[in-house]
Amino acid sequence: MAKITLGGNPVETIGDLPNVGIKAPNFTLITKDLSEKKLEDYTGNKVVLNIFPSVDTGTCATSVRTFNKKASEVENTKILCISRDLPFAQARFCGAEGIENVEMLSDFKSGDFGKSYGLNFKNGPFETLHSRCIVVLDEQGNVLHTEQVQEVADEPNYEAALNALKK
C-alpha cells in the first residue's frame, strides 16, 4: 500500500499501482451517456489514465484541463480521466469547461477499477475515493509508467507521463 498525504495528513491506499512491464488489469468504467468502456476498447492506442478523487476539486479539475490541452500534442493516444464522480457531474464539468480532447470515465458503480489498480484510499476523509495517480499504457495495454502522487493536493508530473509515451 502507498503511504501518501492529504492536506499534509498521512493516509494510505489499499494497495500499490500495477508494476511497469505487466499487462494492466482490465476494467469496466461508465461514460457520460452511461454506456460501458473496457480497457480492450483502447487496444491499438497508447493510453494515459489520469486518475483522481473528484473533478469538483481544484487540482483534479486542473489535471483534466491540462491533459485536455496536451492531448492534441500526442498521436495515437487516448487520455482517460477517471474518478468515482457520477457521469453527470463529469459531463457538466466538461460542458462548462469546453473539455473535448479527453474521455471522462466513472468508477461510481462498484469501485472495482480503484480496487484492481490498488489506488483507492484506505482511510482518511476520502476513504474509498481514488487517489491521484497516473498510469501510462502501450498499444497492447502494458504498463509503461506509473505515478502515485505523494500529496493529493499536488498535480501529477504531466511531462513524465507524456515522455513515457515516446519510449
Side-chain angles (χ1 to χ4, degrees):
M1 80 187 72
K3 295 180 184 298
I4 57 177
T5 57
L6 174 62
N9 298 308
V11 291
E12 297 176 337
T13 63
I14 61 169
D16 295 306
L17 293 173
N19 292 323
V20 170
I22 70 160
K23 182 86 168 163
N26 198 12
F27 58 73
T28 300
L29 295 167
I30 308 302
T31 69
K32 63 184 175 182
D33 69 2
L34 302 180
S35 63
E36 293 183 346
K37 284 286 197 168
K38 299 177 182 294
L39 177 58
E40 62 203 36
D41 295 329
Y42 301 98
T43 301
N45 293 285
K46 293 181 181 178
V47 177
V48 175
L49 305 177
N50 175 35
I51 307 154
F52 49 86
S54 174
V55 76
D56 286 326
T57 64
T59 305
C60 301
T62 297
S63 75
V64 173
R65 286 186 205 106
T66 301
F67 274 120
N68 184 64
K69 180 179 176 188
K70 293 184 179 291
S72 60
E73 301 170 6
V74 292
E75 291 183 31
N76 193 40
T77 301
K78 301 289 185 185
I79 298 180
L80 311 181
C81 297
I82 303 168
S83 68
R84 296 207 61 196
D85 290 306
L86 290 174
F88 314 114
Q90 293 175 335
R92 175 187 39 78
F93 172 81
C94 290
E97 296 283 334
I99 304 292
E100 297 177 347
N101 299 321
V102 299
E103 289 185 51
M104 300 294 284
L105 297 172
S106 177
D107 190 24
F108 83 98
K109 282 189 174 182
S110 66
D112 285 346
F113 170 83
K115 293 171 190 168
S116 65
Y117 278 69
L119 53 83
N120 285 353
F121 287 103
K122 180 179 178 181
N123 56 3
F126 284 6
E127 186 175 344
T128 74
L129 293 179
H130 297 336
S131 60
R132 186 175 318 288
C133 305
I134 301 292
V135 179
V136 179
L137 309 175
D138 68 13
E139 294 91 333
Q140 291 77 41
N142 298 307
V143 179
L144 296 174
H145 167 82
T146 64
E147 177 189 5
Q148 170 69 68
V149 178
Q150 291 303 299
E151 166 54 51
V152 178
D154 292 344
E155 292 180 58
N157 185 336
Y158 304 107
E159 294 309 314
L162 296 172
N163 286 338
L165 295 168
K166 299 173 187 173
K167 296 179 180 177

